[in-house]
Amino acid sequence: QQQVKQSPQSLIVQKGGISIINCAYENTAFDYFPWYQQFPGKGPALLIAIRPDVSEKKEGRFTISFNKSAKQFSLHIMDSQPGDSATYFCAASEFWGATNKLIFGTGTLLAVQP
Amino acid sequence: DTAVSQTPKYLVTQMGNDKSIKCEQNLGHDTMYWYKQDSKKFLKIMFSYNNKELIINETVPNRFSPKSPDKAHLNLHINSLELGDSAVYFCASSQDSPTSGQETQYFGPGTRLLVL
């Protein structure tokens, strides 16, 4: 079963607009929620992350909103730019032995039109 | 000075062959991972190693055998390749600690495997 559900599958936004991607999880043992950005032909790279003890984290134009009771979190990209066009993955993680086990959402392909 | 590097970048091979993908990280991390990204871009963990010890093995067919000769290297050997093995394989590393909590996973550039 898909432990981390992500929507929408694809998103088209005008330059300067707000991009919103939503994720939901089931496992309450998850204790770390990162977002990764992936450009074509490249590996995913960490964009921003949040722990469940805070409800919001902002870094520049990127904000994570976290609702622990609803087991949902979302990424907001303010003032979206064409350079933000990429695939975005939410993820949830739990500490597993001596490593952390990341479960990824299905990804959202974002296209920002100039 | 690439942090996580993989070779080869592209791999085209016939069904039934055996192939290896190599991964090296120069970040001094203790933990390394292999992920598989399928044609729909779904990213799934396959294995993780911590200090050369296998920690996570996600119900991967035993045709896939990871090997960690040292903390900086994690190789993936695949026997008897099948059409369904065609995907992009990513190596990643992180420095995890129960006291510091979750740390960033740094991904390599990927190896694009095509099985014909």
Side-chain angles (χ1 to χ4, degrees), chain A residues 2 31-32 36 38 40-44 46 51 87 89 93-102 104-106, chain B residues 31 33 35 37 41-43 45 48 50 55-56 58 90 94 96-98 100 102-105 107-109 112:
Chain A
Q2 185 61 33
D31 59 2
Y32 178 67
Y36 279 78
Q38 184 179 26
K42 304 292 185 184
L46 179 71
R51 301 190 192 282
T87 300
F89 294 93
S93 174
E94 60 177 323
F95 207 73
W96 190 275
T99 74
N100 75 66
K101 184 177 176 182
L102 272 181
F104 283 89
T106 48
Chain B
T31 305
Y33 309 79
Y35 286 86
Q37 186 170 48
K41 295 226 162 190
F42 185 56
L43 199 58
I45 189 167
S48 81
N50 177 266
I55 302 297
I56 296 174
E58 279 292 290
F90 287 100
S94 67
D96 296 323
S97 161
S100 68
Q102 309 290 3
E103 298 293 341
T104 302
Q105 289 192 18
F107 283 77
R112 284 141 190 85

Side-chain angles (χ1 to χ4, degrees), chain A residues 38 41-45, chain B residues 1-11 20-26 32-37 43 46 72-78 87-93 105-113:
Chain A
Q38 184 179 26
K42 304 292 185 184
Chain B
D1 52 344
T2 306
V4 181
S5 59
Q6 296 179 228
T7 54
K9 189 170 183 179
Y10 298 96
L11 190 51
S20 291
I21 306 172
K22 294 186 177 182
C23 178
E24 176 180 2
Q25 54 96 3
N26 63 6
M32 297 184 72
Y33 309 79
W34 277 110
Y35 286 86
K36 178 180 180 180
Q37 186 170 48
L43 199 58
M46 300 172 69
H73 296 85
L74 180 62
N75 303 323
L76 183 65
H77 188 75
I78 315 170
V88 182
Y89 292 85
F90 287 100
C91 177
S93 75
Q105 289 192 18
Y106 293 86
F107 283 77
T111 295
R112 284 141 190 85
L113 171 66

